């Protein structure tokens, strides 16, 4: 399926910085609860992420990640997820977060 460039522009992907991370024991699949600061225009958004194989909450604080910030909120158990943090599968299918390879200001939109 192909999409138009206008369709692509509808997806708002921003760089944010993880400011808080906690275990999410109530989730059906192992996950962490994340609070990601997407800058002054968007603010902090919560996200549930199945990233427990490669990441611990403490190691995530301060890490910059890419996330979709314009999906509608989604209830995941007792937690309301407001953004989708993006990742790619490793060889075993476990999530590896997508991060910028240079220091960029939070809130920047992917293009």
């Amino acid at each position: 399926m192909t999409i138009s460039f206008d369709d692509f522009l509808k997806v708002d992907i921003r760089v944010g910085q993880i400011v808080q991370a906690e275990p999410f024991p109530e989730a059906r699949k192992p996950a962490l609860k994340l609070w990601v600061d997407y800058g002054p225009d968007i603010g902090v958004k919560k996200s549930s992420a199945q990233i427990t194989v490669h990441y611990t909450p403490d190691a995530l604080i301060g890490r910059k990640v890419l996330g979709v910030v314009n999906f509608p909120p989604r209830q995941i158990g007792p937690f309301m997820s407001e953004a989708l943090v993006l990742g790619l599968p490793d060889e075993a299918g476990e999530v590896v977060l997508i991060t910028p390879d240079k220091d960029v200001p939070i809130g920047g939109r992917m293009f």
Side-chain angles (χ1 to χ4, degrees), residues 10 14 16 26 33 42 78 84 92 94 99 103:
K10 292 176 186 176
R14 304 280 180 138
E26 304 90 352
K33 295 187 277 190
I42 296 169
L84 175 67
E94 299 296 340
T99 62
D103 191 28

Side-chain angles (χ1 to χ4, degrees), residues 9 36 62 81 84:
L9 289 176
V36 183
S81 186
L84 175 67

Side-chain angles (χ1 to χ4, degrees), residues 94-110:
E94 299 296 340
V95 179
V96 175
L97 293 171
I98 299 174
T99 62
D101 69 349
K102 303 275 188 231
D103 191 28
V104 296
I106 61 173
R109 184 170 180 167
M110 189 182 88

